Amino acid sequence: MTSGEQGRGQEQPSVHGGGSGGGGDWQRDVLRELGGGGSGPSDAGTHTGAEAGAEARVGTEGDAPGPHVPGPHAPGAVLPNTSVSPDASPSAPGAPDGPDGPASPSPVPADRAVGEPVPERPAAPAVPDPVPDPAPVPARAPHLPAAPAPESSPTLDPRLLLALGRPLHGDSVTRRTGRALRKLTSSAAQDVAEQTRIARELQQPVTTGRVVAVTSIRGGVGKSTVSALLGRTLNHYRHDPVLTLEADAALGTLPVRLGAEAVRWTCADLAPVLHPSMRLTDVTGYLVPVPDGGWLLPASRGQVGPPLAMTAYRKVTLALRRYFAVTVVDCETLPGEVARTAMDTAHARVVVSPATAEGVNATRQVLDWLARLPHSALATTVVALVSSTPDALLDGKTAAGHLKEAGVTVVTVPYDRHLAGGGPIHTGLLAHDTRQAVLRLAAEVMGRAVRVR
């Protein structure tokens, strides 16, 4: 600041009505109020505009700097009343400056003798503070978490990761060689037509986010594996974002199957954080990116905890439908409350059944329950009949026929060495028949989900 500018800044009268030689600095008082120092008078009237600006930049120790207050000559600043009295004379050139600015001799009327005391002029009324007090700023935005961010937890113990061997291919070398030879002698036109039809089904446009619920009658039958396969297949074929959500807090395996190395935010943690003003980039900051594409929202951090509340599930699924074209939900097993709610509110449903006599019998009872719902859900339900052993005792055609009697479509997922080994799923190592079955399952599910209004 030049000396001329300092002089102009010192010529501004005090807005707090201070007397001669003790006028307060209005900027300093405002900054004192913003910094929490109260609205009392300033303790010195000799601060220049540069010192007030320094206080605005530094602030009080330990406090965040307050908002910028425009100076008396800044563009758009509200200036105090600076009108000059008609009987006031300007300071003479070269007159010495006093502590409060240039010396200004008091005007003496012509009819008064020299040396006679001049009566004191009444003090001008105090001008209200031209800068209104800002509204109190909340400690945090309403959509930010009230509690500190949770700590990241690995999905598997590092020692177990070292113990994992090399994953097997779903097909043996003999089967892969035989299939390669058959391709040389067969026509590929039929396979291309089928692949085109499936891709068209998977890429159908949606007007609102679709929710696909996956459940089973008990754990350990491949529910999380089917959810992971559906999420990766839909993400591979679709050009809009796809989310795989875990609604089973009982130490599920979905994060491991999707290849996530660590998890942080869970479904229950995200429920109070979601806000309508959040954008997709804000939401994905709380999710786990899947290595092959897509997003994951786990239900736990690998620790035993309470089950997911139904209110939290409803809030999360309804809110995330705005950002993701398809949400694949890995539900808890039936007859859990969240599973029943998910099956009743989803656009399409997948019931995973083990290829055993007792598993097929229990799945048939689930289908009969779905038929008794106020709006029958059988038209949008697909059964995935999963074989977990290469030596199945139950005839697959007989089991599928028993389930089809309820009026649903059944897709058989054969035994796969890669899936049976556990650990992260590598789609390139899946058996050929498994890939075809998963593509058909995803196409059947997506076709039903799109038709629901």
PDB file of all heavy atoms in Angstrom, residues 304-327:
ATOM      1  N   VAL A 304     -18.151 -59.707  13.148  1.00  0.00           N
ATOM      2  CA  VAL A 304     -19.502 -60.086  13.537  1.00  0.00           C
ATOM      3  C   VAL A 304     -20.205 -58.856  14.094  1.00  0.00           C
ATOM      4  O   VAL A 304     -19.702 -58.195  15.012  1.00  0.00           O
ATOM      5  CB  VAL A 304     -19.472 -61.216  14.585  1.00  0.00           C
ATOM      6  CG1 VAL A 304     -20.889 -61.582  15.011  1.00  0.00           C
ATOM      7  CG2 VAL A 304     -18.759 -62.429  14.013  1.00  0.00           C
ATOM      8  N   GLY A 305     -21.347 -58.516  13.537  1.00  0.00           N
ATOM      9  CA  GLY A 305     -22.085 -57.340  13.962  1.00  0.00           C
ATOM     10  C   GLY A 305     -23.573 -57.568  13.859  1.00  0.00           C
ATOM     11  O   GLY A 305     -24.038 -58.663  13.499  1.00  0.00           O
ATOM     12  N   PRO A 306     -24.352 -56.546  14.162  1.00  0.00           N
ATOM     13  CA  PRO A 306     -25.807 -56.679  14.088  1.00  0.00           C
ATOM     14  C   PRO A 306     -26.265 -56.790  12.648  1.00  0.00           C
ATOM     15  O   PRO A 306     -25.593 -56.321  11.730  1.00  0.00           O
ATOM     16  CB  PRO A 306     -26.316 -55.386  14.742  1.00  0.00           C
ATOM     17  CG  PRO A 306     -25.202 -54.400  14.534  1.00  0.00           C
ATOM     18  CD  PRO A 306     -23.938 -55.202  14.610  1.00  0.00           C
ATOM     19  N   PRO A 307     -27.411 -57.409  12.426  1.00  0.00           N
ATOM     20  CA  PRO A 307     -27.931 -57.501  11.046  1.00  0.00           C
ATOM     21  C   PRO A 307     -28.334 -56.131  10.531  1.00  0.00           C
ATOM     22  O   PRO A 307     -28.558 -55.184  11.297  1.00  0.00           O
ATOM     23  CB  PRO A 307     -29.141 -58.434  11.194  1.00  0.00           C
ATOM     24  CG  PRO A 307     -29.544 -58.314  12.627  1.00  0.00           C
ATOM     25  CD  PRO A 307     -28.290 -58.083  13.394  1.00  0.00           C
ATOM     26  N   LEU A 308     -28.403 -56.025   9.225  1.00  0.00           N
ATOM     27  CA  LEU A 308     -28.765 -54.769   8.591  1.00  0.00           C
ATOM     28  C   LEU A 308     -30.223 -54.454   8.883  1.00  0.00           C
ATOM     29  O   LEU A 308     -31.104 -55.303   8.734  1.00  0.00           O
ATOM     30  CB  LEU A 308     -28.533 -54.855   7.080  1.00  0.00           C
ATOM     31  CG  LEU A 308     -28.877 -53.618   6.260  1.00  0.00           C
ATOM     32  CD1 LEU A 308     -27.974 -52.458   6.636  1.00  0.00           C
ATOM     33  CD2 LEU A 308     -28.734 -53.912   4.772  1.00  0.00           C
ATOM     34  N   ALA A 309     -30.481 -53.224   9.312  1.00  0.00           N
ATOM     35  CA  ALA A 309     -31.851 -52.801   9.609  1.00  0.00           C
ATOM     36  C   ALA A 309     -32.627 -52.605   8.315  1.00  0.00           C
ATOM     37  O   ALA A 309     -32.070 -52.179   7.292  1.00  0.00           O
ATOM     38  CB  ALA A 309     -31.851 -51.518  10.431  1.00  0.00           C
ATOM     39  N   MET A 310     -33.909 -52.898   8.371  1.00  0.00           N
ATOM     40  CA  MET A 310     -34.740 -52.776   7.174  1.00  0.00           C
ATOM     41  C   MET A 310     -34.857 -51.322   6.730  1.00  0.00           C
ATOM     42  O   MET A 310     -34.871 -51.029   5.528  1.00  0.00           O
ATOM     43  CB  MET A 310     -36.119 -53.357   7.448  1.00  0.00           C
ATOM     44  CG  MET A 310     -37.035 -53.383   6.228  1.00  0.00           C
ATOM     45  SD  MET A 310     -38.664 -54.060   6.599  1.00  0.00           S
ATOM     46  CE  MET A 310     -39.262 -52.858   7.774  1.00  0.00           C
ATOM     47  N   THR A 311     -34.912 -50.380   7.687  1.00  0.00           N
ATOM     48  CA  THR A 311     -35.003 -48.967   7.309  1.00  0.00           C
ATOM     49  C   THR A 311     -33.738 -48.507   6.593  1.00  0.00           C
ATOM     50  O   THR A 311     -33.812 -47.731   5.636  1.00  0.00           O
ATOM     51  CB  THR A 311     -35.239 -48.111   8.562  1.00  0.00           C
ATOM     52  OG1 THR A 311     -34.212 -48.398   9.534  1.00  0.00           O
ATOM     53  CG2 THR A 311     -36.594 -48.420   9.182  1.00  0.00           C
ATOM     54  N   ALA A 312     -32.581 -48.983   7.056  1.00  0.00           N
ATOM     55  CA  ALA A 312     -31.329 -48.612   6.384  1.00  0.00           C
ATOM     56  C   ALA A 312     -31.280 -49.200   4.982  1.00  0.00           C
ATOM     57  O   ALA A 312     -30.827 -48.541   4.034  1.00  0.00           O
ATOM     58  CB  ALA A 312     -30.139 -49.087   7.208  1.00  0.00           C
ATOM     59  N   TYR A 313     -31.735 -50.440   4.815  1.00  0.00           N
ATOM     60  CA  TYR A 313     -31.743 -51.047   3.477  1.00  0.00           C
ATOM     61  C   TYR A 313     -32.655 -50.272   2.536  1.00  0.00           C
ATOM     62  O   TYR A 313     -32.292 -50.000   1.386  1.00  0.00           O
ATOM     63  CB  TYR A 313     -32.187 -52.504   3.580  1.00  0.00           C
ATOM     64  CG  TYR A 313     -32.463 -53.128   2.229  1.00  0.00           C
ATOM     65  CD1 TYR A 313     -31.412 -53.570   1.428  1.00  0.00           C
ATOM     66  CD2 TYR A 313     -33.762 -53.248   1.740  1.00  0.00           C
ATOM     67  CE1 TYR A 313     -31.652 -54.112   0.176  1.00  0.00           C
ATOM     68  CE2 TYR A 313     -34.007 -53.799   0.499  1.00  0.00           C
ATOM     69  CZ  TYR A 313     -32.952 -54.232  -0.280  1.00  0.00           C
ATOM     70  OH  TYR A 313     -33.194 -54.766  -1.518  1.00  0.00           O
ATOM     71  N   ARG A 314     -33.824 -49.918   2.998  1.00  0.00           N
ATOM     72  CA  ARG A 314     -34.749 -49.188   2.134  1.00  0.00           C
ATOM     73  C   ARG A 314     -34.187 -47.834   1.719  1.00  0.00           C
ATOM     74  O   ARG A 314     -34.267 -47.439   0.562  1.00  0.00           O
ATOM     75  CB  ARG A 314     -36.097 -48.988   2.853  1.00  0.00           C
ATOM     76  CG  ARG A 314     -37.000 -50.216   2.861  1.00  0.00           C
ATOM     77  CD  ARG A 314     -38.314 -49.890   3.568  1.00  0.00           C
ATOM     78  NE  ARG A 314     -39.260 -50.967   3.476  1.00  0.00           N
ATOM     79  CZ  ARG A 314     -40.135 -51.123   2.477  1.00  0.00           C
ATOM     80  NH1 ARG A 314     -40.142 -50.248   1.488  1.00  0.00           N
ATOM     81  NH2 ARG A 314     -40.978 -52.126   2.454  1.00  0.00           N
ATOM     82  N   LYS A 315     -33.592 -47.119   2.669  1.00  0.00           N
ATOM     83  CA  LYS A 315     -33.058 -45.796   2.352  1.00  0.00           C
ATOM     84  C   LYS A 315     -31.910 -45.895   1.356  1.00  0.00           C
ATOM     85  O   LYS A 315     -31.831 -45.110   0.401  1.00  0.00           O
ATOM     86  CB  LYS A 315     -32.589 -45.110   3.632  1.00  0.00           C
ATOM     87  CG  LYS A 315     -32.026 -43.722   3.387  1.00  0.00           C
ATOM     88  CD  LYS A 315     -31.634 -43.027   4.674  1.00  0.00           C
ATOM     89  CE  LYS A 315     -31.081 -41.636   4.379  1.00  0.00           C
ATOM     90  NZ  LYS A 315     -30.685 -40.929   5.627  1.00  0.00           N
ATOM     91  N   VAL A 316     -31.017 -46.852   1.550  1.00  0.00           N
ATOM     92  CA  VAL A 316     -29.857 -46.970   0.669  1.00  0.00           C
ATOM     93  C   VAL A 316     -30.278 -47.370  -0.734  1.00  0.00           C
ATOM     94  O   VAL A 316     -29.826 -46.783  -1.732  1.00  0.00           O
ATOM     95  CB  VAL A 316     -28.841 -47.954   1.267  1.00  0.00           C
ATOM     96  CG1 VAL A 316     -27.757 -48.288   0.251  1.00  0.00           C
ATOM     97  CG2 VAL A 316     -28.219 -47.385   2.525  1.00  0.00           C
ATOM     98  N   THR A 317     -31.121 -48.373  -0.864  1.00  0.00           N
ATOM     99  CA  THR A 317     -31.515 -48.835  -2.192  1.00  0.00           C
ATOM    100  C   THR A 317     -32.325 -47.784  -2.943  1.00  0.00           C
ATOM    101  O   THR A 317     -32.132 -47.588  -4.149  1.00  0.00           O
ATOM    102  CB  THR A 317     -32.312 -50.139  -2.088  1.00  0.00           C
ATOM    103  OG1 THR A 317     -33.397 -49.970  -1.144  1.00  0.00           O
ATOM    104  CG2 THR A 317     -31.429 -51.279  -1.623  1.00  0.00           C
ATOM    105  N   LEU A 318     -33.222 -47.093  -2.250  1.00  0.00           N
ATOM    106  CA  LEU A 318     -34.004 -46.054  -2.926  1.00  0.00           C
ATOM    107  C   LEU A 318     -33.128 -44.884  -3.348  1.00  0.00           C
ATOM    108  O   LEU A 318     -33.329 -44.306  -4.420  1.00  0.00           O
ATOM    109  CB  LEU A 318     -35.131 -45.568  -2.002  1.00  0.00           C
ATOM    110  CG  LEU A 318     -36.288 -46.545  -1.774  1.00  0.00           C
ATOM    111  CD1 LEU A 318     -37.281 -45.979  -0.766  1.00  0.00           C
ATOM    112  CD2 LEU A 318     -37.002 -46.853  -3.086  1.00  0.00           C
ATOM    113  N   ALA A 319     -32.147 -44.528  -2.523  1.00  0.00           N
ATOM    114  CA  ALA A 319     -31.285 -43.398  -2.865  1.00  0.00           C
ATOM    115  C   ALA A 319     -30.313 -43.739  -3.985  1.00  0.00           C
ATOM    116  O   ALA A 319     -30.080 -42.920  -4.890  1.00  0.00           O
ATOM    117  CB  ALA A 319     -30.515 -42.937  -1.621  1.00  0.00           C
ATOM    118  N   LEU A 320     -29.744 -44.938  -3.968  1.00  0.00           N
ATOM    119  CA  LEU A 320     -28.734 -45.291  -4.966  1.00  0.00           C
ATOM    120  C   LEU A 320     -29.343 -45.605  -6.326  1.00  0.00           C
ATOM    121  O   LEU A 320     -28.608 -45.665  -7.318  1.00  0.00           O
ATOM    122  CB  LEU A 320     -27.919 -46.488  -4.472  1.00  0.00           C
ATOM    123  CG  LEU A 320     -27.069 -46.226  -3.224  1.00  0.00           C
ATOM    124  CD1 LEU A 320     -26.259 -47.461  -2.866  1.00  0.00           C
ATOM    125  CD2 LEU A 320     -26.152 -45.036  -3.438  1.00  0.00           C
ATOM    126  N   ARG A 321     -30.626 -45.818  -6.407  1.00  0.00           N
ATOM    127  CA  ARG A 321     -31.256 -46.055  -7.713  1.00  0.00           C
ATOM    128  C   ARG A 321     -31.139 -44.835  -8.622  1.00  0.00           C
ATOM    129  O   ARG A 321     -31.272 -44.957  -9.841  1.00  0.00           O
ATOM    130  CB  ARG A 321     -32.728 -46.418  -7.523  1.00  0.00           C
ATOM    131  CG  ARG A 321     -32.972 -47.843  -7.072  1.00  0.00           C
ATOM    132  CD  ARG A 321     -34.433 -48.071  -6.783  1.00  0.00           C
ATOM    133  NE  ARG A 321     -35.277 -47.697  -7.901  1.00  0.00           N
ATOM    134  CZ  ARG A 321     -36.605 -47.712  -7.864  1.00  0.00           C
ATOM    135  NH1 ARG A 321     -37.230 -48.051  -6.756  1.00  0.00           N
ATOM    136  NH2 ARG A 321     -37.309 -47.366  -8.925  1.00  0.00           N
ATOM    137  N   ARG A 322     -30.894 -43.655  -8.045  1.00  0.00           N
ATOM    138  CA  ARG A 322     -30.729 -42.451  -8.853  1.00  0.00           C
ATOM    139  C   ARG A 322     -29.413 -42.452  -9.604  1.00  0.00           C
ATOM    140  O   ARG A 322     -29.271 -41.758 -10.612  1.00  0.00           O
ATOM    141  CB  ARG A 322     -30.804 -41.212  -7.967  1.00  0.00           C
ATOM    142  CG  ARG A 322     -32.098 -41.025  -7.206  1.00  0.00           C
ATOM    143  CD  ARG A 322     -31.988 -39.855  -6.255  1.00  0.00           C
ATOM    144  NE  ARG A 322     -31.459 -38.671  -6.928  1.00  0.00           N
ATOM    145  CZ  ARG A 322     -30.628 -37.817  -6.364  1.00  0.00           C
ATOM    146  NH1 ARG A 322     -30.204 -38.002  -5.142  1.00  0.00           N
ATOM    147  NH2 ARG A 322     -30.195 -36.760  -7.038  1.00  0.00           N
ATOM    148  N   TYR A 323     -28.415 -43.196  -9.116  1.00  0.00           N
ATOM    149  CA  TYR A 323     -27.068 -43.116  -9.670  1.00  0.00           C
ATOM    150  C   TYR A 323     -26.665 -44.346 -10.478  1.00  0.00           C
ATOM    151  O   TYR A 323     -25.764 -44.246 -11.312  1.00  0.00           O
ATOM    152  CB  TYR A 323     -26.054 -42.936  -8.526  1.00  0.00           C
ATOM    153  CG  TYR A 323     -26.386 -41.807  -7.579  1.00  0.00           C
ATOM    154  CD1 TYR A 323     -27.019 -42.052  -6.366  1.00  0.00           C
ATOM    155  CD2 TYR A 323     -26.071 -40.490  -7.902  1.00  0.00           C
ATOM    156  CE1 TYR A 323     -27.315 -41.018  -5.489  1.00  0.00           C
ATOM    157  CE2 TYR A 323     -26.375 -39.450  -7.034  1.00  0.00           C
ATOM    158  CZ  TYR A 323     -27.000 -39.720  -5.827  1.00  0.00           C
ATOM    159  OH  TYR A 323     -27.303 -38.703  -4.958  1.00  0.00           O
ATOM    160  N   PHE A 324     -27.292 -45.492 -10.244  1.00  0.00           N
ATOM    161  CA  PHE A 324     -26.867 -46.735 -10.878  1.00  0.00           C
ATOM    162  C   PHE A 324     -28.027 -47.327 -11.675  1.00  0.00           C
ATOM    163  O   PHE A 324     -29.154 -47.416 -11.184  1.00  0.00           O
ATOM    164  CB  PHE A 324     -26.381 -47.736  -9.827  1.00  0.00           C
ATOM    165  CG  PHE A 324     -25.182 -47.260  -9.062  1.00  0.00           C
ATOM    166  CD1 PHE A 324     -25.325 -46.587  -7.862  1.00  0.00           C
ATOM    167  CD2 PHE A 324     -23.901 -47.456  -9.566  1.00  0.00           C
ATOM    168  CE1 PHE A 324     -24.232 -46.133  -7.163  1.00  0.00           C
ATOM    169  CE2 PHE A 324     -22.798 -47.002  -8.879  1.00  0.00           C
ATOM    170  CZ  PHE A 324     -22.957 -46.339  -7.672  1.00  0.00           C
ATOM    171  N   ALA A 325     -27.703 -47.746 -12.901  1.00  0.00           N
ATOM    172  CA  ALA A 325     -28.738 -48.313 -13.763  1.00  0.00           C
ATOM    173  C   ALA A 325     -29.237 -49.639 -13.216  1.00  0.00           C
ATOM    174  O   ALA A 325     -30.439 -49.928 -13.264  1.00  0.00           O
ATOM    175  CB  ALA A 325     -28.196 -48.490 -15.180  1.00  0.00           C
ATOM    176  N   VAL A 326     -28.343 -50.471 -12.687  1.00  0.00           N
ATOM    177  CA  VAL A 326     -28.710 -51.767 -12.129  1.00  0.00           C
ATOM    178  C   VAL A 326     -27.997 -51.932 -10.793  1.00  0.00           C
ATOM    179  O   VAL A 326     -26.799 -51.640 -10.682  1.00  0.00           O
ATOM    180  CB  VAL A 326     -28.335 -52.937 -13.068  1.00  0.00           C
ATOM    181  CG1 VAL A 326     -28.837 -54.266 -12.513  1.00  0.00           C
ATOM    182  CG2 VAL A 326     -28.877 -52.700 -14.472  1.00  0.00           C
ATOM    183  N   THR A 327     -28.727 -52.392  -9.787  1.00  0.00           N
ATOM    184  CA  THR A 327     -28.179 -52.720  -8.479  1.00  0.00           C
ATOM    185  C   THR A 327     -28.483 -54.180  -8.186  1.00  0.00           C
ATOM    186  O   THR A 327     -29.650 -54.558  -8.088  1.00  0.00           O
ATOM    187  CB  THR A 327     -28.761 -51.831  -7.369  1.00  0.00           C
ATOM    188  OG1 THR A 327     -28.486 -50.462  -7.666  1.00  0.00           O
ATOM    189  CG2 THR A 327     -28.167 -52.192  -6.021  1.00  0.00           C
TER     190      THR A 327
END
